[in-house]
Amino acid sequence: RLISQQLIKCRSILSDGDHTTWRDRIQAARLPLSEQSLRALCDSEDDPKLLGELLASRELSNAGRRLREIEKSRSDGDSCFGQKSYFEALGHWKVALLPAGGPLGTSSRDHKWNAQLHCNRSAAYLRLREYSKALAEANEAVKLFRSWAKPYFRRASAAAALGGASRLREARTDLLESRRLLRKELTVLSEGPE
């Protein structure tokens, strides 16, 4: 029944029959059509290309909505951290992490995004004195973005807080790496554009 209601609504929007116009109208109206409704509409219009186009536009719309949610979650996490609501910040940043292996989360830009979020989560865990979790988050950030100094510093802070001779050696190594990367970043910044 829902499918037939969606088709009736869709057909009323598309009443002029001009394929170019009604495709645009479906996209502009952002009709919440199920895949089954889209298939039925395309079958009734006898246009095999249409289904692929409509499904692709729906996927793009969903991806855009997901990106806006992710950006808002990150911003909310940043605000919560600033207000010292560390548990809330952790929750927001977890939502903002891009899933590995999905359509998002595969490019180097996405790895940097996730590395920044893991680094933020490490900072929140450090503030909560949950050093093992801070160390794990810093390790993830280092794994995703090795040429960034901040995760090494976070990892060193967590390792030093956990204590023990081997952890202190790891912390020292990370601090030296952090310093090396910071110097490299400062050199690049001081040289400016060529």
Side-chain angles (χ1 to χ4, degrees), residues 9-31 41 45 47 50 53-54 57:
K9 182 178 179 181
C10 188
R11 284 204 176 101
S12 70
I13 289 174
L14 312 173
S15 60
D16 68 11
D18 178 6
H19 286 248
T20 305
T21 304
W22 63 265
R23 284 182 188 143
D24 293 341
R25 286 185 183 177
I26 283 180
Q27 292 173 0
R30 296 200 188 278
L31 291 173
L41 175 67
E45 295 299 329
D47 186 350
L50 179 62
E53 291 174 16
L54 293 176
S57 97

PDB file of all heavy atoms in Angstrom, residues 9-31 41 45 47 50 53-54 57:
ATOM      1  N   LYS A   9       1.870   9.635  -5.589  1.00  0.00           N
ATOM      2  CA  LYS A   9       2.460  10.943  -5.304  1.00  0.00           C
ATOM      3  C   LYS A   9       3.510  11.289  -6.346  1.00  0.00           C
ATOM      4  O   LYS A   9       3.556  12.407  -6.862  1.00  0.00           O
ATOM      5  CB  LYS A   9       3.088  10.954  -3.908  1.00  0.00           C
ATOM      6  CG  LYS A   9       3.674  12.286  -3.521  1.00  0.00           C
ATOM      7  CD  LYS A   9       4.237  12.239  -2.116  1.00  0.00           C
ATOM      8  CE  LYS A   9       4.842  13.590  -1.738  1.00  0.00           C
ATOM      9  NZ  LYS A   9       5.410  13.580  -0.394  1.00  0.00           N
ATOM     10  N   CYS A  10       4.330  10.324  -6.686  1.00  0.00           N
ATOM     11  CA  CYS A  10       5.385  10.543  -7.660  1.00  0.00           C
ATOM     12  C   CYS A  10       4.788  10.856  -9.026  1.00  0.00           C
ATOM     13  O   CYS A  10       5.205  11.792  -9.703  1.00  0.00           O
ATOM     14  CB  CYS A  10       6.282   9.317  -7.734  1.00  0.00           C
ATOM     15  SG  CYS A  10       7.736   9.571  -8.750  1.00  0.00           S
ATOM     16  N   ARG A  11       3.784  10.098  -9.440  1.00  0.00           N
ATOM     17  CA  ARG A  11       3.168  10.328 -10.753  1.00  0.00           C
ATOM     18  C   ARG A  11       2.477  11.675 -10.811  1.00  0.00           C
ATOM     19  O   ARG A  11       2.472  12.323 -11.849  1.00  0.00           O
ATOM     20  CB  ARG A  11       2.198   9.202 -11.071  1.00  0.00           C
ATOM     21  CG  ARG A  11       2.917   7.947 -11.482  1.00  0.00           C
ATOM     22  CD  ARG A  11       2.046   7.050 -12.343  1.00  0.00           C
ATOM     23  NE  ARG A  11       2.831   5.911 -12.777  1.00  0.00           N
ATOM     24  CZ  ARG A  11       2.762   4.711 -12.227  1.00  0.00           C
ATOM     25  NH1 ARG A  11       1.944   4.482 -11.241  1.00  0.00           N
ATOM     26  NH2 ARG A  11       3.511   3.735 -12.688  1.00  0.00           N
ATOM     27  N   SER A  12       1.913  12.140  -9.683  1.00  0.00           N
ATOM     28  CA  SER A  12       1.274  13.455  -9.699  1.00  0.00           C
ATOM     29  C   SER A  12       2.307  14.559  -9.892  1.00  0.00           C
ATOM     30  O   SER A  12       2.056  15.543 -10.565  1.00  0.00           O
ATOM     31  CB  SER A  12       0.459  13.685  -8.424  1.00  0.00           C
ATOM     32  OG  SER A  12       1.323  13.844  -7.326  1.00  0.00           O
ATOM     33  N   ILE A  13       3.489  14.369  -9.335  1.00  0.00           N
ATOM     34  CA  ILE A  13       4.566  15.342  -9.525  1.00  0.00           C
ATOM     35  C   ILE A  13       5.087  15.284 -10.953  1.00  0.00           C
ATOM     36  O   ILE A  13       5.463  16.283 -11.540  1.00  0.00           O
ATOM     37  CB  ILE A  13       5.709  15.090  -8.512  1.00  0.00           C
ATOM     38  CG1 ILE A  13       5.249  15.484  -7.129  1.00  0.00           C
ATOM     39  CG2 ILE A  13       6.968  15.853  -8.894  1.00  0.00           C
ATOM     40  CD1 ILE A  13       6.226  15.143  -6.036  1.00  0.00           C
ATOM     41  N   LEU A  14       5.058  14.095 -11.532  1.00  0.00           N
ATOM     42  CA  LEU A  14       5.650  13.881 -12.849  1.00  0.00           C
ATOM     43  C   LEU A  14       4.632  13.875 -13.979  1.00  0.00           C
ATOM     44  O   LEU A  14       4.857  13.302 -15.025  1.00  0.00           O
ATOM     45  CB  LEU A  14       6.385  12.533 -12.852  1.00  0.00           C
ATOM     46  CG  LEU A  14       7.310  12.275 -11.688  1.00  0.00           C
ATOM     47  CD1 LEU A  14       7.827  10.862 -11.738  1.00  0.00           C
ATOM     48  CD2 LEU A  14       8.452  13.246 -11.700  1.00  0.00           C
ATOM     49  N   SER A  15       3.505  14.533 -13.796  1.00  0.00           N
ATOM     50  CA  SER A  15       2.381  14.371 -14.711  1.00  0.00           C
ATOM     51  C   SER A  15       2.645  14.818 -16.142  1.00  0.00           C
ATOM     52  O   SER A  15       1.980  14.366 -17.046  1.00  0.00           O
ATOM     53  CB  SER A  15       1.163  15.109 -14.162  1.00  0.00           C
ATOM     54  OG  SER A  15       1.486  16.485 -14.033  1.00  0.00           O
ATOM     55  N   ASP A  16       3.629  15.678 -16.393  1.00  0.00           N
ATOM     56  CA  ASP A  16       3.811  16.147 -17.765  1.00  0.00           C
ATOM     57  C   ASP A  16       4.483  15.119 -18.674  1.00  0.00           C
ATOM     58  O   ASP A  16       4.452  15.270 -19.886  1.00  0.00           O
ATOM     59  CB  ASP A  16       4.561  17.474 -17.806  1.00  0.00           C
ATOM     60  CG  ASP A  16       6.006  17.354 -17.377  1.00  0.00           C
ATOM     61  OD1 ASP A  16       6.506  16.226 -17.232  1.00  0.00           O
ATOM     62  OD2 ASP A  16       6.645  18.402 -17.187  1.00  0.00           O
ATOM     63  N   GLY A  17       5.107  14.058 -18.120  1.00  0.00           N
ATOM     64  CA  GLY A  17       5.668  12.989 -18.937  1.00  0.00           C
ATOM     65  C   GLY A  17       7.010  13.298 -19.574  1.00  0.00           C
ATOM     66  O   GLY A  17       7.575  12.454 -20.242  1.00  0.00           O
ATOM     67  N   ASP A  18       7.532  14.487 -19.433  1.00  0.00           N
ATOM     68  CA  ASP A  18       8.842  14.822 -19.992  1.00  0.00           C
ATOM     69  C   ASP A  18       9.908  14.225 -19.081  1.00  0.00           C
ATOM     70  O   ASP A  18      10.104  14.662 -17.966  1.00  0.00           O
ATOM     71  CB  ASP A  18       8.984  16.341 -20.083  1.00  0.00           C
ATOM     72  CG  ASP A  18      10.337  16.762 -20.617  1.00  0.00           C
ATOM     73  OD1 ASP A  18      11.128  15.889 -21.023  1.00  0.00           O
ATOM     74  OD2 ASP A  18      10.603  17.977 -20.608  1.00  0.00           O
ATOM     75  N   HIS A  19      10.628  13.177 -19.567  1.00  0.00           N
ATOM     76  CA  HIS A  19      11.567  12.425 -18.736  1.00  0.00           C
ATOM     77  C   HIS A  19      12.621  13.328 -18.097  1.00  0.00           C
ATOM     78  O   HIS A  19      12.919  13.196 -16.932  1.00  0.00           O
ATOM     79  CB  HIS A  19      12.235  11.317 -19.550  1.00  0.00           C
ATOM     80  CG  HIS A  19      11.327  10.187 -19.819  1.00  0.00           C
ATOM     81  ND1 HIS A  19      11.513   8.951 -19.273  1.00  0.00           N
ATOM     82  CD2 HIS A  19      10.197  10.104 -20.560  1.00  0.00           C
ATOM     83  CE1 HIS A  19      10.549   8.135 -19.674  1.00  0.00           C
ATOM     84  NE2 HIS A  19       9.749   8.823 -20.456  1.00  0.00           N
ATOM     85  N   THR A  20      13.171  14.267 -18.864  1.00  0.00           N
ATOM     86  CA  THR A  20      14.197  15.144 -18.300  1.00  0.00           C
ATOM     87  C   THR A  20      13.614  15.957 -17.158  1.00  0.00           C
ATOM     88  O   THR A  20      14.196  16.068 -16.089  1.00  0.00           O
ATOM     89  CB  THR A  20      14.753  16.093 -19.393  1.00  0.00           C
ATOM     90  OG1 THR A  20      15.219  15.313 -20.466  1.00  0.00           O
ATOM     91  CG2 THR A  20      15.862  16.952 -18.830  1.00  0.00           C
ATOM     92  N   THR A  21      12.446  16.488 -17.361  1.00  0.00           N
ATOM     93  CA  THR A  21      11.805  17.304 -16.342  1.00  0.00           C
ATOM     94  C   THR A  21      11.437  16.470 -15.121  1.00  0.00           C
ATOM     95  O   THR A  21      11.691  16.864 -13.999  1.00  0.00           O
ATOM     96  CB  THR A  21      10.527  17.971 -16.903  1.00  0.00           C
ATOM     97  OG1 THR A  21      10.894  18.709 -18.052  1.00  0.00           O
ATOM     98  CG2 THR A  21       9.893  18.870 -15.878  1.00  0.00           C
ATOM     99  N   TRP A  22      10.841  15.295 -15.344  1.00  0.00           N
ATOM    100  CA  TRP A  22      10.406  14.552 -14.166  1.00  0.00           C
ATOM    101  C   TRP A  22      11.534  13.931 -13.403  1.00  0.00           C
ATOM    102  O   TRP A  22      11.457  13.766 -12.192  1.00  0.00           O
ATOM    103  CB  TRP A  22       9.267  13.596 -14.461  1.00  0.00           C
ATOM    104  CG  TRP A  22       9.428  12.459 -15.404  1.00  0.00           C
ATOM    105  CD1 TRP A  22       9.114  12.430 -16.715  1.00  0.00           C
ATOM    106  CD2 TRP A  22       9.877  11.144 -15.077  1.00  0.00           C
ATOM    107  NE1 TRP A  22       9.349  11.194 -17.244  1.00  0.00           N
ATOM    108  CE2 TRP A  22       9.818  10.380 -16.254  1.00  0.00           C
ATOM    109  CE3 TRP A  22      10.330  10.536 -13.923  1.00  0.00           C
ATOM    110  CZ2 TRP A  22      10.184   9.049 -16.308  1.00  0.00           C
ATOM    111  CZ3 TRP A  22      10.685   9.216 -13.973  1.00  0.00           C
ATOM    112  CH2 TRP A  22      10.610   8.489 -15.152  1.00  0.00           C
ATOM    113  N   ARG A  23      12.650  13.616 -14.046  1.00  0.00           N
ATOM    114  CA  ARG A  23      13.824  13.166 -13.291  1.00  0.00           C
ATOM    115  C   ARG A  23      14.301  14.283 -12.375  1.00  0.00           C
ATOM    116  O   ARG A  23      14.606  14.068 -11.209  1.00  0.00           O
ATOM    117  CB  ARG A  23      14.960  12.781 -14.228  1.00  0.00           C
ATOM    118  CG  ARG A  23      14.765  11.466 -14.891  1.00  0.00           C
ATOM    119  CD  ARG A  23      15.952  11.133 -15.756  1.00  0.00           C
ATOM    120  NE  ARG A  23      15.657   9.946 -16.525  1.00  0.00           N
ATOM    121  CZ  ARG A  23      16.042   9.750 -17.764  1.00  0.00           C
ATOM    122  NH1 ARG A  23      16.757  10.656 -18.382  1.00  0.00           N
ATOM    123  NH2 ARG A  23      15.740   8.639 -18.385  1.00  0.00           N
ATOM    124  N   ASP A  24      14.370  15.475 -12.950  1.00  0.00           N
ATOM    125  CA  ASP A  24      14.785  16.627 -12.144  1.00  0.00           C
ATOM    126  C   ASP A  24      13.800  16.881 -11.010  1.00  0.00           C
ATOM    127  O   ASP A  24      14.192  17.242  -9.911  1.00  0.00           O
ATOM    128  CB  ASP A  24      14.899  17.888 -13.012  1.00  0.00           C
ATOM    129  CG  ASP A  24      16.034  17.785 -14.019  1.00  0.00           C
ATOM    130  OD1 ASP A  24      16.930  16.929 -13.820  1.00  0.00           O
ATOM    131  OD2 ASP A  24      16.027  18.561 -14.997  1.00  0.00           O
ATOM    132  N   ARG A  25      12.523  16.679 -11.302  1.00  0.00           N
ATOM    133  CA  ARG A  25      11.508  16.904 -10.265  1.00  0.00           C
ATOM    134  C   ARG A  25      11.639  15.902  -9.120  1.00  0.00           C
ATOM    135  O   ARG A  25      11.457  16.243  -7.969  1.00  0.00           O
ATOM    136  CB  ARG A  25      10.117  16.820 -10.864  1.00  0.00           C
ATOM    137  CG  ARG A  25       9.770  18.017 -11.690  1.00  0.00           C
ATOM    138  CD  ARG A  25       8.348  17.909 -12.153  1.00  0.00           C
ATOM    139  NE  ARG A  25       8.015  19.018 -13.014  1.00  0.00           N
ATOM    140  CZ  ARG A  25       6.849  19.141 -13.616  1.00  0.00           C
ATOM    141  NH1 ARG A  25       5.918  18.225 -13.447  1.00  0.00           N
ATOM    142  NH2 ARG A  25       6.618  20.173 -14.392  1.00  0.00           N
ATOM    143  N   ILE A  26      11.945  14.656  -9.440  1.00  0.00           N
ATOM    144  CA  ILE A  26      12.134  13.662  -8.376  1.00  0.00           C
ATOM    145  C   ILE A  26      13.300  14.088  -7.494  1.00  0.00           C
ATOM    146  O   ILE A  26      13.217  14.073  -6.273  1.00  0.00           O
ATOM    147  CB  ILE A  26      12.412  12.254  -8.949  1.00  0.00           C
ATOM    148  CG1 ILE A  26      11.115  11.635  -9.451  1.00  0.00           C
ATOM    149  CG2 ILE A  26      13.022  11.339  -7.880  1.00  0.00           C
ATOM    150  CD1 ILE A  26      11.297  10.253 -10.034  1.00  0.00           C
ATOM    151  N   GLN A  27      14.383  14.497  -8.140  1.00  0.00           N
ATOM    152  CA  GLN A  27      15.555  14.903  -7.364  1.00  0.00           C
ATOM    153  C   GLN A  27      15.267  16.166  -6.574  1.00  0.00           C
ATOM    154  O   GLN A  27      15.647  16.286  -5.420  1.00  0.00           O
ATOM    155  CB  GLN A  27      16.758  15.091  -8.281  1.00  0.00           C
ATOM    156  CG  GLN A  27      17.229  13.781  -8.863  1.00  0.00           C
ATOM    157  CD  GLN A  27      18.318  13.955  -9.901  1.00  0.00           C
ATOM    158  OE1 GLN A  27      18.724  15.060 -10.199  1.00  0.00           O
ATOM    159  NE2 GLN A  27      18.782  12.847 -10.452  1.00  0.00           N
ATOM    160  N   ALA A  28      14.594  17.144  -7.193  1.00  0.00           N
ATOM    161  CA  ALA A  28      14.296  18.400  -6.509  1.00  0.00           C
ATOM    162  C   ALA A  28      13.322  18.189  -5.357  1.00  0.00           C
ATOM    163  O   ALA A  28      13.456  18.800  -4.298  1.00  0.00           O
ATOM    164  CB  ALA A  28      13.731  19.415  -7.493  1.00  0.00           C
ATOM    165  N   ALA A  29      12.340  17.320  -5.577  1.00  0.00           N
ATOM    166  CA  ALA A  29      11.357  17.058  -4.524  1.00  0.00           C
ATOM    167  C   ALA A  29      11.934  16.189  -3.420  1.00  0.00           C
ATOM    168  O   ALA A  29      11.388  16.108  -2.331  1.00  0.00           O
ATOM    169  CB  ALA A  29      10.119  16.381  -5.120  1.00  0.00           C
ATOM    170  N   ARG A  30      13.070  15.510  -3.715  1.00  0.00           N
ATOM    171  CA  ARG A  30      13.711  14.611  -2.756  1.00  0.00           C
ATOM    172  C   ARG A  30      12.682  13.641  -2.164  1.00  0.00           C
ATOM    173  O   ARG A  30      12.548  13.509  -0.951  1.00  0.00           O
ATOM    174  CB  ARG A  30      14.429  15.374  -1.650  1.00  0.00           C
ATOM    175  CG  ARG A  30      15.562  16.209  -2.162  1.00  0.00           C
ATOM    176  CD  ARG A  30      16.515  16.541  -1.039  1.00  0.00           C
ATOM    177  NE  ARG A  30      17.514  17.489  -1.424  1.00  0.00           N
ATOM    178  CZ  ARG A  30      18.636  17.202  -2.079  1.00  0.00           C
ATOM    179  NH1 ARG A  30      18.898  15.985  -2.415  1.00  0.00           N
ATOM    180  NH2 ARG A  30      19.493  18.140  -2.384  1.00  0.00           N
ATOM    181  N   LEU A  31      11.956  13.018  -3.078  1.00  0.00           N
ATOM    182  CA  LEU A  31      10.935  12.073  -2.646  1.00  0.00           C
ATOM    183  C   LEU A  31      11.574  10.910  -1.903  1.00  0.00           C
ATOM    184  O   LEU A  31      12.546  10.335  -2.380  1.00  0.00           O
ATOM    185  CB  LEU A  31      10.157  11.540  -3.850  1.00  0.00           C
ATOM    186  CG  LEU A  31       9.265  12.544  -4.552  1.00  0.00           C
ATOM    187  CD1 LEU A  31       8.696  11.920  -5.811  1.00  0.00           C
ATOM    188  CD2 LEU A  31       8.165  13.014  -3.646  1.00  0.00           C
ATOM    189  N   LEU A  41       8.160   2.314 -10.437  1.00  0.00           N
ATOM    190  CA  LEU A  41       8.009   3.507 -11.264  1.00  0.00           C
ATOM    191  C   LEU A  41       8.772   3.346 -12.573  1.00  0.00           C
ATOM    192  O   LEU A  41       8.264   3.641 -13.646  1.00  0.00           O
ATOM    193  CB  LEU A  41       8.508   4.741 -10.507  1.00  0.00           C
ATOM    194  CG  LEU A  41       8.511   6.045 -11.302  1.00  0.00           C
ATOM    195  CD1 LEU A  41       7.086   6.466 -11.612  1.00  0.00           C
ATOM    196  CD2 LEU A  41       9.235   7.131 -10.536  1.00  0.00           C
ATOM    197  N   GLU A  45       7.356   3.178 -16.458  1.00  0.00           N
ATOM    198  CA  GLU A  45       7.771   4.176 -17.442  1.00  0.00           C
ATOM    199  C   GLU A  45       8.600   3.556 -18.565  1.00  0.00           C
ATOM    200  O   GLU A  45       8.995   4.234 -19.487  1.00  0.00           O
ATOM    201  CB  GLU A  45       8.578   5.281 -16.755  1.00  0.00           C
ATOM    202  CG  GLU A  45       7.779   6.086 -15.755  1.00  0.00           C
ATOM    203  CD  GLU A  45       6.606   6.810 -16.386  1.00  0.00           C
ATOM    204  OE1 GLU A  45       6.687   7.198 -17.567  1.00  0.00           O
ATOM    205  OE2 GLU A  45       5.592   6.975 -15.697  1.00  0.00           O
ATOM    206  N   ASP A  47      11.729   2.602 -18.788  1.00  0.00           N
ATOM    207  CA  ASP A  47      13.037   3.254 -18.987  1.00  0.00           C
ATOM    208  C   ASP A  47      14.061   2.555 -18.109  1.00  0.00           C
ATOM    209  O   ASP A  47      14.140   2.825 -16.912  1.00  0.00           O
ATOM    210  CB  ASP A  47      12.930   4.737 -18.622  1.00  0.00           C
ATOM    211  CG  ASP A  47      14.195   5.513 -18.944  1.00  0.00           C
ATOM    212  OD1 ASP A  47      15.224   4.884 -19.273  1.00  0.00           O
ATOM    213  OD2 ASP A  47      14.158   6.750 -18.860  1.00  0.00           O
ATOM    214  N   LEU A  50      16.647   4.695 -16.026  1.00  0.00           N
ATOM    215  CA  LEU A  50      16.095   5.560 -14.990  1.00  0.00           C
ATOM    216  C   LEU A  50      16.356   5.036 -13.581  1.00  0.00           C
ATOM    217  O   LEU A  50      16.738   5.805 -12.696  1.00  0.00           O
ATOM    218  CB  LEU A  50      14.594   5.729 -15.220  1.00  0.00           C
ATOM    219  CG  LEU A  50      13.852   6.581 -14.210  1.00  0.00           C
ATOM    220  CD1 LEU A  50      14.398   8.004 -14.241  1.00  0.00           C
ATOM    221  CD2 LEU A  50      12.381   6.591 -14.517  1.00  0.00           C
ATOM    222  N   GLU A  53      19.839   5.805 -12.386  1.00  0.00           N
ATOM    223  CA  GLU A  53      20.019   7.238 -12.141  1.00  0.00           C
ATOM    224  C   GLU A  53      19.348   7.662 -10.831  1.00  0.00           C
ATOM    225  O   GLU A  53      19.919   8.411 -10.039  1.00  0.00           O
ATOM    226  CB  GLU A  53      19.446   8.050 -13.299  1.00  0.00           C
ATOM    227  CG  GLU A  53      20.225   7.916 -14.581  1.00  0.00           C
ATOM    228  CD  GLU A  53      19.544   8.621 -15.741  1.00  0.00           C
ATOM    229  OE1 GLU A  53      18.647   9.455 -15.508  1.00  0.00           O
ATOM    230  OE2 GLU A  53      19.911   8.325 -16.895  1.00  0.00           O
ATOM    231  N   LEU A  54      18.135   7.183 -10.626  1.00  0.00           N
ATOM    232  CA  LEU A  54      17.406   7.574  -9.412  1.00  0.00           C
ATOM    233  C   LEU A  54      18.047   6.995  -8.152  1.00  0.00           C
ATOM    234  O   LEU A  54      18.155   7.674  -7.130  1.00  0.00           O
ATOM    235  CB  LEU A  54      15.941   7.146  -9.512  1.00  0.00           C
ATOM    236  CG  LEU A  54      15.123   7.875 -10.577  1.00  0.00           C
ATOM    237  CD1 LEU A  54      13.719   7.303 -10.642  1.00  0.00           C
ATOM    238  CD2 LEU A  54      15.087   9.358 -10.315  1.00  0.00           C
ATOM    239  N   SER A  57      21.185   8.998  -7.450  1.00  0.00           N
ATOM    240  CA  SER A  57      20.913  10.318  -6.874  1.00  0.00           C
ATOM    241  C   SER A  57      20.464  10.184  -5.421  1.00  0.00           C
ATOM    242  O   SER A  57      20.808  11.012  -4.578  1.00  0.00           O
ATOM    243  CB  SER A  57      19.878  11.071  -7.709  1.00  0.00           C
ATOM    244  OG  SER A  57      18.596  10.945  -7.200  1.00  0.00           O
TER     245      SER A  57
END
